[in-house]
Amino acid sequence: MKNNILFVVNPISGGLDKKGLTDLVQMYSINIGVTVLVYETTGSNDTAHIREICLKENFERVIVAGGDGTIKMVVEALEDIDIVLGILPAGSANGLATDLNLPKTIEENMCIAFHNPYMKMDVITINEKYSLHLSDLGLNADLIKNYEENSLRGFWGYAAQAYTTLRESEDAFEATIIANETTIIVKAKMIVIANSQKYGTGVVINPMGVMNDGKFELVILKNLDLLVLGKILNGNIPIDSEDIVIVSTDKAVIKTNSPVSFQIDGEYCGKQTELDIGILKEHMKVAIP
């Protein structure tokens, strides 16, 4: 019997055992008369292997159980393959799922992933790498680096590293930004490259974010002291403040005066001095509520 669905599962994302989830997906597929091929990621050539499987088979959908990094990897594997992506949030933060307003229960998400209509969503490119959700330079990238190096996972792992990162944060970096045929020079603690609105915690960092408008936003946080951070965490990002500047564009170049920590969709990517950013309009199909 031909496989209708490819189910890609990251067995270690979010620090949770995924065997029970895989069993639920297989039972659900049997109940609705759909066959599923299960692919467990290993961290070794997964993108190439998934692409090869999808080019050989005529899948109706690819369903991903994992966090933002796993989803991004699958989207890269599906380059130029016309297929709908379904998401079962199973990572540490699940930022993209949060912005798509996916529900909390696995049963509701399976129904959406298997059956619901899709949205054509934009994808940001940064130095030729995909970014589906939120990437940034500066403080949050430092936090992610510290989190990856620490054994404590989940909410308390993030909370502990947030405290450490804020306490040890360096001075603001200088950035030259070219966008909308304008050049600006700023000192910033953090610059967010946003295709959407929220971090996985639900905190809104980009109120202007729309995932299919052909644009992305640069959210420039000149200051990130406890007062500004408190407003952001409480859902009141002070966009009318001199501390925050938001630039909406479809391409940009950011150059920094020294190497600055950088992350894409929750994955630390080292320190960078130049980012070349663009947008691929309506590049992926993702099932939505």
Side-chain angles (χ1 to χ4, degrees):
M1 184 181 291
K2 198 160 188 66
N3 293 297
N4 300 104
I5 302 289
L6 176 63
F7 177 54
V8 178
V9 56
N10 182 339
I12 62 171
S13 63
L16 302 173
D17 181 10
K18 301 302 188 305
K19 185 182 184 306
L21 178 57
T22 300
D23 291 343
L24 282 172
V25 168
Q26 290 177 316
M27 288 173 56
Y28 184 85
S29 66
I30 291 171
N31 289 337
I32 63 173
V34 171
T35 55
V36 170
L37 176 64
V38 177
Y39 178 92
E40 285 196 0
T41 63
T42 65
S44 176
N45 296 319
D46 289 314
T47 304
H49 292 155
I50 292 168
R51 181 170 182 81
E52 183 179 1
I53 293 169
C54 289
L55 287 172
K56 286 181 179 179
E57 301 284 347
N58 186 26
F59 294 112
E60 293 178 6
R61 295 192 175 201
V62 175
I63 295 175
V64 185
D68 291 332
T70 306
I71 297 167
K72 182 168 76 71
M73 181 268 293
V74 173
V75 172
E76 290 170 345
L78 298 177
E79 178 72 29
D80 298 325
I81 300 175
D82 187 17
I83 196 164
V84 177
L85 186 75
I87 297 173
L88 300 182
S92 297
N94 305 309
L96 180 58
T98 299
D99 251 309
L100 290 171
N101 294 316
L102 293 182
K104 298 298 183 183
T105 70
I106 188 62
E107 291 80 11
E108 289 175 293
N109 278 308
M110 279 201 292
C111 185
I112 293 167
F114 274 85
H115 303 295
N116 271 33
Y118 60 82
M119 173 181 75
K120 290 184 178 180
M121 184 181 133
D122 300 338
V123 173
I124 297 174
T125 62
I126 306 174
N127 291 356
E128 300 183 347
K129 292 183 178 181
Y130 280 3
S131 173
L132 309 182
H133 181 233
L134 295 170
S135 302
D136 49 60
L137 280 163
L139 196 63
N140 187 59
D142 284 328
L143 188 160
I144 287 172
K145 175 179 179 291
N146 292 337
Y147 178 79
E148 289 180 355
E149 293 174 350
N150 192 276
S151 59
L152 184 60
R153 287 290 176 262
F155 171 81
W156 292 112
Y158 274 113
Q161 294 312 314
Y163 172 78
T164 300
T165 304
L166 277 171
R167 186 186 62 196
E168 299 175 353
S169 65
E170 299 176 355
D171 293 336
F173 58 90
E174 183 178 289
T176 300
I177 301 172
I178 304 170
N180 300 325
E181 300 182 350
T182 301
T183 299
I184 61 173
I185 299 174
V186 296
K187 283 190 175 292
K189 295 286 284 187
M190 180 171 151
I191 298 177
V192 183
I193 304 155
N195 192 33
S196 54
Q197 294 189 358
K198 307 171 188 173
Y199 282 107
T201 56
V203 172
V204 174
I205 194 67
N206 175 33
M208 298 171 62
V210 177
M211 288 187 280
N212 59 354
D213 63 351
K215 292 183 180 293
F216 59 89
E217 280 72 48
L218 301 176
V219 183
I220 305 163
L221 294 101
K222 297 180 180 180
N223 176 30
L224 201 54
D225 60 20
L226 289 176
L227 179 60
V228 174
L229 182 62
K231 290 180 179 179
I232 293 171
L233 292 176
N234 285 314
N236 298 307
I237 180 169
I239 58 175
D240 56 349
S241 165
E242 292 183 356
D243 291 323
I244 296 177
V245 176
I246 301 179
V247 177
S248 184
T249 185
D250 60 359
K251 61 182 177 181
V253 174
I254 301 175
K255 297 179 181 180
T256 61
N257 64 331
S258 61
V260 180
S261 292
F262 174 59
Q263 68 89 15
I264 293 180
D265 292 342
E267 178 185 356
Y268 183 69
C269 299
K271 293 194 172 187
Q272 306 290 327
T273 57
E274 183 169 346
L275 302 178
D276 190 354
I277 312 163
I279 193 93
L280 301 172
K281 184 169 173 55
E282 298 183 346
H283 191 70
M284 62 179 279
K285 295 177 178 179
V286 59
I288 57 173

